[in-house]
Amino acid sequence: MKKMLNNVKTLFVTCRQFGDTGKGKIVDASADWADLIARGNGGDNAGHTMCNTRGKLVTHLVPSGILYDEFKKINLICSGTVIYPKTLLHELEELTQRGFSYNNLRIAFNAKLITPAEVALDRIRESSSGKGKIGSTGKGIGPAYADVVDRQGLLINDLLNPDIFYIKLKRHLEYKQKILKNYPAQLVQEVLFQEHLNFGQYFHAHDIFDVDAIFEQYIKYGIELKPLISDTDSFIRASLGKLNILAEGAQGDLLSIKYGTYPYVTSSDCTVAGLAEGIGLTKNDVDLSLGIIKGFYMTRVGGGPFPTELGGQVSDDWCNGGKSNRKIETEIYSQASINDADNEFLQGVALRRFGDEYGATTGRPRRVGWLDLPLLRYVMTFNKPDIVLTKLDVLNNFKTIKICHEYVYEGPPIYYAGKFIENGSVLQVAIPDAAILSYCRPSYTSFSGWQCDLSGCTDFASLPKELKFILEFVVEETGILPRAISIGADREETIYL
Ligand code: IMP
């Protein structure tokens, strides 16, 4: 890692897939080098799992550098993020209980505030959407970003000015109330009594939202957060070229509001450009940007097209069904095997279990599928080539590994960006529009897997020949430049190339 970071002052770590590719491990490996670690997009929809000698920690908002509190790393939650204070304060409380200090944490005064009305709207909309829903995390992310653009949003700094806050909040809630009056009153009430919304603390029988109750609670949050609130944009600009800056992405390129599989995306721009803007910099300030992908498989949480999904629609229904979870899955599908080529759904269950592919934020089973080169080629059109492949150990002992090398479009004729796509068209590069992607049938190249454990591998030469062969194929087909391969959860289980 040290060699790779020679002459680098600003490092970005973002995901080139649908999130959950193990950014945390690479961020952790670079944390020694970093002076400053910044989050710049998304909110508590993200879940970052980190392990080091002090144990395992899952954070949703606080940057991973917090694990290195004894080295006084500066952690920033920057202006591009959306913050639900309840989650943030809960996270800070947990850090204190676990013996971590957050003295070096700063929160952007101009980060966006998530209100109970935004959380409620997200959940109510999702419950009413039926098939084809986005499958959001229910944290209010979409409504919060929408309100920013609609000029109805509130900022973290508003918490520090009670009089102004009250006026803005009242206007914000009145606006939301009008929208929520269109939904069944019982559903609205049920949602407002959920734990994430403080069990009805904000509910008003007539007005839906109790302005005073929300105001009082949020002002209390403001008092607690005040010592941490500052101008992170200016700080990070002043640090450019002086401190080692590590920007930690959330979600992934394919979930980006700008470049993802729209409309099945999150509401922030998760790409390098979006993250740069979210921390107060530009794309040109980035010295090295590492894109993370899973080694030869992929996952997706929530709704949206996923051409290589093992088990297709059956898997989608199961993972988004709400009833499925790890325990149930283990009981019902105890016989699932990755080498059961006759049942792709069960192959998927087995892969999910091996890879521990259950959401860090929602606990939902992640949909799993083979590596999709048309999607990878697509993200490489707007990224630098440097890639880290993670979780390769998950595929140990697979008899066959399949890679999707192209799609055949099998849908109604459609115009896209000046091109006519008809039934039978072959696509080498994915078109991210969900209306097209959902009709793309993957064509696969099959490879023999490696029938061994990767734990003994210490360098590229010691990797099994089957793995190297597949990697060469992916490199040739997509032009990626592999910089590291992760073969286990521990920091040492990383091979730098
Ligand atoms: P939202 O960000 O909660 O609005 O969810 C929008 C979509 O992004 C849903 O499909 C979520 O499952 C997905 N999503 C949001 N955050 C993450 C993440 O951290 N990892 C993977 N998927 C995510």
Side-chain angles (χ1 to χ4, degrees):
M1 193 78 191
K2 260 194 189 143
K3 208 167 130 205
M4 200 194 305
L5 294 174
N6 251 346
N7 301 322
V8 171
K9 291 304 282 180
T10 306
L11 168 68
F12 274 44
V13 180
T14 58
C15 160
R16 301 277 168 272
Q17 296 176 328
F18 294 104
D20 308 317
T21 41
K23 284 184 293 282
K25 176 173 167 178
I26 305 305
V27 167
D28 178 59
S30 339
D32 272 352
W33 161 88
D35 301 309
L36 186 163
I37 296 129
R39 270 280 309 267
N41 75 287
D44 54 345
N45 49 351
H48 294 204
T49 308
M50 300 163 280
C51 303
N52 80 356
T53 46
R54 290 167 79 187
K56 181 175 165 183
L57 192 69
V58 179
T59 62
H60 301 282
L61 281 159
V62 175
S64 313
I66 214 77
L67 268 187
Y68 299 87
D69 57 333
E70 74 264 49
F71 302 111
K72 308 236 175 311
K73 309 269 177 199
I74 300 160
N75 286 279
L76 306 181
I77 304 178
C78 296
S79 56
T81 59
V82 284
I83 299 177
Y84 193 49
K86 176 184 162 102
T87 308
L88 179 55
L89 285 162
H90 180 78
E91 230 160 73
L92 298 183
E93 201 182 297
E94 204 195 327
L95 284 170
T96 308
Q97 277 170 9
R98 301 269 308 268
F100 292 96
S101 136
Y102 54 87
N103 288 339
N104 287 320
L105 174 68
R106 301 181 196 177
I107 300 161
F109 76 97
N110 48 353
K112 284 65 188 176
L113 189 63
I114 300 182
T115 69
E118 289 160 342
V119 173
L121 179 59
D122 190 10
R123 289 171 178 226
I124 290 162
R125 259 193 337 214
E126 282 286 307
S127 310
S128 324
S129 297
K131 240 188 154 28
K133 66 181 177 184
I134 303 293
S136 85
T137 56
K139 307 289 181 177
I141 308 296
Y145 279 114
D147 280 347
V148 172
V149 181
D150 204 14
R151 294 154 297 190
Q152 299 288 338
L154 287 100
L155 301 180
I156 285 291
N157 198 65
D158 290 327
L159 295 174
L160 310 182
N161 296 288
D163 294 347
I164 301 172
F165 180 57
Y166 192 83
I167 296 166
K168 284 193 182 179
L169 181 68
K170 195 157 180 290
R171 176 173 166 262
H172 173 90
L173 295 176
E174 281 167 3
Y175 178 73
K176 282 287 173 307
Q177 182 203 35
K178 283 188 199 136
I179 299 171
L180 291 185
K181 288 246 154 128
N182 296 316
Y183 289 93
Q186 200 194 334
L187 172 64
V188 173
Q189 183 165 343
E190 263 168 36
V191 167
L192 273 155
F193 274 80
Q194 291 174 352
E195 187 270 331
H196 201 57
L197 286 159
N198 289 1
F199 303 107
Q201 183 189 346
Y202 305 133
F203 179 69
H204 188 283
H206 183 262
D207 299 333
I208 301 182
F209 298 109
D210 185 331
V211 186
D212 292 332
I214 298 176
F215 174 76
E216 274 165 34
Q217 181 62 68
Y218 270 57
I219 290 300
K220 276 190 206 151
Y221 288 149
I223 292 167
E224 287 188 68
L225 293 176
K226 194 173 178 185
L228 306 176
I229 299 173
S230 70
D231 182 352
T232 60
D233 284 351
S234 300
F235 181 76
I236 213 159
R237 275 187 223 122
S239 309
L240 198 62
K242 297 184 190 118
L243 298 183
N244 289 342
I245 298 174
L246 167 59
E248 182 180 3
Q251 292 85 43
D253 287 350
L254 295 172
L255 286 176
S256 158
I257 186 78
K258 218 168 153 188
Y259 296 98
T261 57
Y262 193 83
Y264 295 94
V265 292
T266 188
S267 297
S268 66
D269 181 7
C270 330
T271 65
V272 171
L275 177 59
E277 191 185 319
I279 65 171
L281 298 178
T282 75
K283 209 175 160 180
N284 298 337
D285 296 319
V286 183
D287 298 325
L288 175 65
S289 116
L290 290 176
I292 317 297
I293 64 172
K294 278 179 181 149
F296 315 143
Y297 75 102
M298 289 172 77
T299 59
R300 170 162 209 165
V301 190
F306 185 5
T308 60
E309 181 166 13
L310 277 158
Q313 193 59 48
V314 179
S315 161
D316 185 355
D317 291 344
W318 171 253
C319 294
N320 285 313
K323 288 194 194 112
S324 47
N325 62 34
R326 187 179 193 156
K327 190 163 171 283
I328 297 176
E329 203 166 77
T330 312
E331 281 164 16
I332 303 183
Y333 298 119
S334 55
Q335 80 286 21
S337 158
I338 189 59
N339 292 323
D340 179 358
D342 294 334
N343 190 327
E344 288 205 331
F345 171 69
L346 290 184
Q347 270 189 303
V349 173
L351 175 52
R352 182 156 52 245
R353 290 222 302 262
F354 286 163
D356 195 18
E357 297 294 356
Y358 298 86
T361 299
T362 57
R364 290 182 286 182
R366 297 177 182 146
R367 300 158 65 193
V368 296
W370 296 117
L371 178 61
D372 180 324
L373 299 188
L375 278 172
L376 187 55
R377 288 189 196 105
Y378 162 67
V379 296
M380 295 323 290
T381 61
F382 54 90
N383 274 297
K384 294 262 170 68
D386 308 82
I387 291 286
V388 176
L389 295 102
T390 57
K391 300 190 86 161
L392 274 144
D393 52 306
V394 173
L395 303 190
N396 289 347
N397 299 313
F398 280 31
K399 278 195 188 127
T400 304
I401 292 171
K402 288 173 36 175
I403 306 250
C404 163
H405 58 267
E406 64 187 19
Y407 300 146
V408 179
Y409 176 74
E410 293 184 341
I414 185 165
Y415 274 108
Y416 185 81
K419 272 185 287 186
F420 186 60
I421 297 158
E422 56 191 3
N423 193 15
S425 296
V426 173
L427 302 178
Q428 302 281 331
V429 180
I431 294 172
D433 191 317
I436 298 172
L437 201 53
S438 51
Y439 289 108
C440 287
R441 183 178 50 78
S443 303
Y444 290 106
T445 305
S446 293
F447 298 87
S448 298
W450 51 95
Q451 303 298 308
C452 62
D453 193 330
L454 296 181
S455 54
C457 302
T458 48
D459 56 15
F460 185 73
S462 58
L463 289 169
K465 63 177 186 324
E466 294 85 354
L467 189 157
K468 287 194 261 192
F469 187 68
I470 303 173
L471 185 59
E472 267 165 38
F473 174 77
V474 175
V475 168
E476 260 173 42
E477 289 282 320
T478 61
I480 61 164
L481 177 63
R483 303 295 301 260
I485 291 180
S486 165
I487 54 167
D490 280 357
R491 211 191 244 213
E492 287 68 35
E493 293 174 304
T494 313
I495 295 174
Y496 292 96
L497 305 173

